[in-house]
Structure formats: C-alpha cells, structure tokens
C-alpha cells in the first residue's frame, strides 16, 4: 500500500467508525502521546533503562502504527498529499545527504 492509499483507508475508517476527525490540536496531542509510547519501548528495550514486566508485552510495531495513523489523520485534515510530500523530501535528502553520509567516518 502506498501512502496515498493509506490516507484513503484512514479517511474511510474515520467516516465509518470515527464520526469525524478530532481537531488538529487534539490529534497533535495524540501524536505526542503515541511517540512517547514508542520512546518508552525504545528506551527500555534498546537503551539503558531496565524493562518492567509490563513493558515486555508492548508491541513496538503496533505503537509505530499508532503514530502513522495519527500522522495520516493530520495529513488528511490539513489537505496534505503525504505521498507527494514524502517523495519530495526523499529526493531532497538524497541530493543533500548522499556524500555527507558516504564520507562520515563515524558510520564506517
């Protein structure tokens, strides 16, 4: 599924199950909350913090999908074609960062 199709699927879901989009500020707060849940898993599973038994049951993929869902909601409700924006960003990063990363001694 490409990003445009994902945006359409989220919009269909909102229309069928969500009644309407939460407003942009509410979705921004939700995005922050979901990113915090991803950060908690990463910090405990891959960082130096110890993992609590309840943390071990958390699914990183599910939490990343929560982040993606809210990002798609925000794109939909603000009229952003996220596929176009992503393609443009990837092109920019490719042109800007290729030599920089290839010549970074820290990455070798």
């Amino acid at each position: 599924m490409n990003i445009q199709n994902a945006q359409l699927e989220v919009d269909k879901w909102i229309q069928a199950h969500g009644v309407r989009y939460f407003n942009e500020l509410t979705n921004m707060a939700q995005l922050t909350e979901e990113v915090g849940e991803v950060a908690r898993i990463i910090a405990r599973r891959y960082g130096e913090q110890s993992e609590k038994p309840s943390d071990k049951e958390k699914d990183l993929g599910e939490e990343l999908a929560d982040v993606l869902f809210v990002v798609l909601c925000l794109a939909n409700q603000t009229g952003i074609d996220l596929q176009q924006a992503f393609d443009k960003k990837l092109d920019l990063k490719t042109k800007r960062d290729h030599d920089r990363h290839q010549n970074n001694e820290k990455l070798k």
Side-chain angles (χ1 to χ4, degrees):
M1 176 181 302
N2 65 26
I3 298 171
Q4 286 174 331
N5 288 340
Q7 280 187 252
L8 288 172
E9 288 300 314
V10 165
D11 194 59
K12 286 181 197 175
W13 187 92
I14 293 293
Q15 301 307 319
H17 306 286
V19 180
R20 66 170 177 79
Y21 287 92
F22 294 135
N23 69 41
E24 296 83 356
L25 289 176
T26 299
N27 274 337
M28 187 63 229
Q30 275 197 301
L31 179 59
T32 302
E33 180 183 343
E34 298 299 348
V35 169
E37 291 176 18
V38 169
R40 180 182 178 96
I41 292 170
I42 297 287
R44 285 165 171 72
R45 197 162 297 161
Y46 303 102
E48 296 174 337
Q49 289 185 307
S50 60
E51 225 175 354
K52 298 176 185 177
S54 61
D55 291 332
K56 292 180 182 183
E57 297 173 14
K58 301 281 184 182
D59 182 343
L60 179 57
E62 185 178 329
E63 298 304 333
L64 288 168
D66 286 342
V67 169
L68 181 58
F69 185 89
V70 179
V71 167
L72 293 169
C73 285
L74 283 165
N76 283 350
Q77 67 193 132
T78 58
I80 302 296
D81 178 337
L82 207 50
Q83 184 71 60
Q84 181 182 30
F86 181 80
D87 292 344
K88 182 178 175 183
K89 179 56 70 175
L90 192 58
D91 185 53
L92 180 137
K93 290 177 74 59
T94 299
K95 290 174 183 170
R96 181 189 68 198
D97 296 338
H98 176 75
D99 290 336
R100 185 180 91 180
H101 294 312
Q102 293 297 320
N103 298 322
N104 184 346
E105 291 298 320
K106 296 176 186 177
L107 297 177
K108 293 183 180 179

